[in-house]
Amino acid sequence: MKVLNYLLAYRRFLLIVLTPLLLLPLPLIIKTKEAECAYTLFVVAIFWLTEALPLAVSALLPAFMFPLFGIMESKEVASAYFKDFHLLLMGVICLATSIEKWNFHKRVALRMVMLVGVNPAWLTLGFMVSCSFLSMWLSNTSAAAMVMPIVEAVAQQITTADAEADMLEMSYSNGSTNLALELDENVGECENSDWTEKGKQVNGYDNDMSSTVCTIEKENEKEKEQNLPPAETGRKSREDKYSGIFKVMCLCIAYSATIGGLTTITGTSTNLIFAEHFNTRYPDCKCINFGSWFILSIPITVVILVLSWVWLQWLFLGFDFKSMFKCGKKKTAREEASAKVIQEEYKKLGPMSYPEIVTLILFILMTLLWFTREPGFIPGWSSLFPKYKGYATDSTTALVIGLLFFIIPAKTLSRTSNGESTAYGYTPLITWKEFQSCMPWEIAILVGGGFALADGCEVSKLSAWVASKLTPLGSLPLWLIILISCLIVTSVTEVASNPATITIFLPILSPLAEAIHVNPLFILIPATLCTSFAFLLPVANPANAIVFSYGHLTVMDMVKAGLGINIIGVAVVMLGIMTWIVPIFDLYTYPSWAPIISSNSTGL
């Protein structure tokens, strides 16, 4: 038993040591460049999937293994660790840093929720739309962390208002009258004796609002189930609804943060990794850019978002169309509480500040420049430089706008205390330290390691060997091949990080498409989208973990809800890739920019 405890305690260390040793016969016995590259790939993939080492540390292994095996020179491997992707990421993070610093995200989220109304179903949809919109431009983790404190305060206020309404109803049934129905804005304590207060702070995030969670304690429930007065029976039925409201609002934030990231190339790291891998492997194809990805993904995002909203409502609250669309109905105590807390939070923000306005202008400018660089149906601004066609990319726009955040002053001119003279205090919208705190360096190194592995697979001809072995899959129907690849990556990404999953599978799926003579986009696009469908477990996605840590959900709640969202996501992606995405890229035609692989040339 003692030995078993030691093994469990040092399981990560044993995995780090034993994995390279157990796989060592592969390069020692076969002694080919393909086997040596496969050995490196397997070691890195296992470390990524198990997270025995930090992802960025595992990504550095090809930097010394490829030179030692004689696959690539050290300077060639090093050049793979910094690509156009990293420049695009840095420009986007400049925007995200300014949005977070000046609280612009909170204004957007509250404003969107105010537009849809305070009915619980519409309120949930408002939170989903606002969170998904933020995650289009920020990381999914940041979007969930920003919106969740607002959701927590609204959900608590809803519950407190209904509890007060219950007390009022009970007082009437007992023959006494108490017309005071006051809302506790701080939600500091629950006056009802059946309520208990539980404080929770999430992953180091400091919430401006109170982060206490009011839960209902049921004392001697089995003994009191019988002979309950009507008011008490109604109260108990509402207790279950309180729990459902908390669950729906939490899950809607976790899932919409991920779903929104699908929409743009910069919305999530998996999209960026795909774009860089694709443009590197197929440099003659200029079809993947910000605009083309937005056009293909926006219908998928909208459909998944709406169906997820319906699924969560039906699963935890029941979907009552009649009450949702009934006009002129008097607002309940819960809806009044929701409206009040949202309006109060919005009032605290005050009018838009100068830094917020500048951030909004730069955000709009960056988006317009992305869309108009090469829109396809009309000449874009890149046509202004005909001698340097293809030189400017989305990263060029991101860097130009990102640089402005370090130049434009954050404050207008200020006056001294006596009001007579003026002084200029120059501070930019963001500083380098603030940028560094938001920059995901681990993802940057992880992606670099993936590019190094991809280059090694090409140089060692491992990709060609894999393609030759995958050729028999061409006998299967195309839709089945796509479905199998989607299901595989969706399953793997539940236990591994999304960037690691897409980095492992892209070098496999690209040769597969070439081997069966299918447009690579036909397989790579759905696989990339499905890599983000990590909805089942709290550990599958940082956004899931943030929401789960608030204490309103159980693992089974997330599994039950996430399974439905996974099925919806894969089904919608399959529908999209077989219908409206086909004409965008002419997917049924094998493109000239993809290599033609014959079965005779790949037998190694």
Side-chain angles (χ1 to χ4, degrees):
M1 194 65 179
K2 199 171 183 180
V3 175
L4 183 61
N5 289 334
Y6 278 123
L7 291 175
L8 289 174
Y10 289 94
R11 61 186 181 276
R12 290 178 62 188
F13 175 76
L14 292 174
L15 186 64
I16 295 169
V17 174
L18 294 178
T19 297
L21 292 178
L22 294 177
L23 292 174
L24 200 56
L26 181 64
L28 292 180
I29 296 175
I30 301 179
K31 295 181 179 179
T32 62
K33 295 301 178 187
E34 293 93 326
E36 292 167 348
C37 183
Y39 172 76
T40 305
L41 179 63
F42 286 146
V43 171
V44 175
I46 291 172
F47 285 170
W48 274 344
L49 293 174
T50 59
E51 296 191 41
L53 286 172
L55 294 177
V57 176
S58 300
L60 292 172
L61 295 180
F64 71 86
M65 294 180 75
F66 281 166
L68 292 179
F69 282 128
I71 297 173
M72 295 175 68
E73 294 182 11
S74 182
K75 60 182 179 181
E76 294 174 337
V77 183
S79 65
Y81 279 84
F82 198 89
K83 299 274 189 178
D84 187 62
F85 157 84
H86 297 86
L87 299 177
L88 176 60
L89 182 63
M90 293 173 70
V92 172
I93 295 302
C94 290
L95 171 65
T97 304
S98 184
I99 289 175
E100 292 185 38
K101 177 180 179 180
W102 302 111
N103 250 359
F104 184 63
H105 63 282
K106 196 171 182 180
R107 185 179 299 277
V108 172
L110 289 172
R111 194 64 190 171
M112 285 189 173
V113 172
M114 290 170 68
L115 289 175
V116 298
V118 293
N119 180 283
W122 294 117
L123 188 64
T124 303
L125 181 62
F127 279 125
M128 292 185 76
V129 171
S130 60
C131 188
S132 60
F133 177 78
L134 289 175
S135 67
M136 290 167 59
W137 317 103
L138 310 177
S139 72
N140 303 346
T141 308
S142 297
M146 291 170 183
V147 181
M148 192 58 205
I150 305 171
V151 174
E152 177 73 4
V154 171
Q156 289 174 17
Q157 195 64 54
I158 289 173
T159 313
T160 304
D162 268 8
E164 294 284 353
D166 286 342
M167 293 177 63
L168 182 62
E169 184 178 353
M170 291 287 288
S171 66
Y172 274 121
S173 65
N174 293 333
S176 60
T177 59
N178 178 14
L179 299 178
L181 182 60
E182 298 179 357
L183 300 179
D184 182 7
E185 290 298 328
N186 294 324
V187 201
E189 60 181 2
C190 296
E191 295 179 357
N192 191 338
S193 61
D194 289 333
W195 292 68
T196 58
E197 182 179 295
K198 182 173 75 173
K200 185 171 282 284
Q201 186 155 2
V202 186
N203 292 344
Y205 292 101
D206 292 327
N207 301 338
D208 295 334
M209 296 157 286
S210 171
S211 58
T212 58
V213 182
C214 297
T215 58
I216 300 174
E217 304 228 332
K218 302 177 181 179
E219 299 178 357
N220 303 322
E221 183 179 357
K222 293 183 179 179
E223 296 179 3
K224 294 182 179 180
E225 276 183 353
Q226 299 177 348
N227 302 323
L228 288 175
E232 184 68 14
T233 304
R235 185 184 69 83
K236 283 193 171 292
S237 67
R238 282 189 290 270
E239 288 176 2
D240 296 331
K241 196 165 187 176
Y242 299 155
S243 177
I245 289 172
F246 275 113
K247 290 177 181 179
V248 169
M249 287 193 171
C250 288
L251 289 171
C252 82
I253 296 305
Y255 296 158
S256 60
T258 300
I259 295 168
L262 302 175
T263 313
T264 61
I265 280 287
T266 58
T268 183
S269 57
T270 54
N271 295 355
L272 283 168
I273 294 169
F274 157 74
E276 183 62 30
H277 170 87
F278 184 84
N279 292 328
T280 302
R281 188 177 181 91
Y282 308 108
D284 294 333
C285 177
K286 304 297 182 182
C287 52
I288 294 297
N289 54 44
F290 188 91
S292 63
W293 185 268
F294 185 85
I295 292 172
L296 77 88
S297 61
I298 188 64
I300 293 176
T301 301
V302 172
V303 174
I304 295 177
L305 198 69
V306 172
L307 293 180
S308 301
W309 171 59
V310 174
W311 166 251
L312 292 176
Q313 290 292 321
W314 177 83
L315 189 64
F316 292 105
L317 296 176
F319 208 78
D320 189 356
F321 284 96
K322 187 176 180 180
S323 63
M324 282 180 58
F325 295 98
K326 188 174 180 180
C327 299
K329 187 178 67 171
K330 186 179 179 180
K331 292 181 181 179
T332 63
R334 176 174 59 248
E335 292 170 349
E336 292 284 0
S338 303
K340 187 163 186 176
V341 72
I342 292 171
Q343 290 168 3
E344 287 296 324
E345 288 301 318
Y346 192 79
K347 285 180 182 177
K348 290 179 184 176
L349 296 176
M352 281 191 71
S353 63
Y354 162 76
E356 284 182 278
I357 295 173
V358 175
T359 300
L360 175 61
I361 293 172
L362 293 179
F363 162 71
I364 294 173
L365 184 60
M366 182 183 287
T367 307
L368 288 176
L369 289 174
W370 273 335
F371 273 114
T372 57
R373 180 175 65 86
E374 288 181 357
F377 54 92
I378 58 172
W381 59 263
S382 61
S383 61
L384 299 175
F385 309 95
K387 292 184 179 180
Y388 311 109
K389 187 176 181 181
Y391 278 49
T393 63
D394 288 337
S395 65
T396 309
T397 298
L399 282 177
V400 169
I401 302 299
L403 184 63
L404 294 178
F405 286 100
F406 292 98
I407 298 174
I408 298 175
K411 297 178 181 179
T412 55
L413 71 111
S414 57
R415 295 185 177 275
T416 57
S417 56
N418 56 21
E420 293 180 356
S421 58
T422 59
Y424 292 89
Y426 175 70
T427 21
L429 286 170
I430 61 172
T431 63
W432 180 253
K433 286 186 177 180
E434 291 165 345
F435 168 80
Q436 280 187 308
S437 65
C438 292
M439 179 67 187
W441 297 109
E442 184 183 40
I443 297 298
I445 298 175
L446 168 67
V447 175
F451 296 151
L453 282 175
D455 290 350
C457 290
E458 287 295 320
V459 172
S460 66
K461 297 187 178 179
L462 178 63
S463 295
W465 182 85
V466 170
S468 68
K469 300 304 177 185
L470 295 176
T471 304
L473 291 176
S475 60
L476 295 176
L478 179 59
W479 68 267
L480 184 58
I481 296 174
I482 297 172
L483 179 61
I484 291 172
S485 63
C486 288
L487 293 176
I488 290 174
V489 297
T490 303
S491 302
V492 173
T493 198
E494 295 290 351
V495 294
S497 72
N498 299 354
T501 302
I502 193 66
T503 305
I504 292 170
F505 278 97
L506 282 177
I508 298 174
L509 296 176
S510 296
L512 168 61
E514 296 164 8
I516 62 178
H517 209 67
V518 169
N519 191 320
L521 290 171
F522 227 141
I523 297 178
L524 296 183
I525 288 176
T528 300
L529 293 170
C530 290
T531 307
S532 296
F533 296 158
F535 299 124
L536 285 181
L537 301 172
V539 297
N541 196 317
N544 293 3
I546 288 174
V547 168
F548 185 79
S549 63
Y550 273 76
H552 303 303
L553 299 167
T554 64
V555 174
M556 283 310 299
D557 288 331
M558 191 161 278
V559 170
K560 183 170 59 174
L563 183 61
I565 307 295
N566 273 346
I567 294 172
I568 290 171
V570 173
V572 174
V573 167
M574 287 297 298
L575 175 65
I577 198 64
M578 303 305 293
T579 54
W580 67 80
I581 300 179
V582 171
I584 296 177
F585 300 110
D586 193 17
L587 293 182
Y588 283 119
T589 302
Y590 192 76
S592 59
W593 44 259
I596 299 176
I597 299 177
S598 63
S599 58
N600 295 331
S601 65
T602 55
L604 299 174

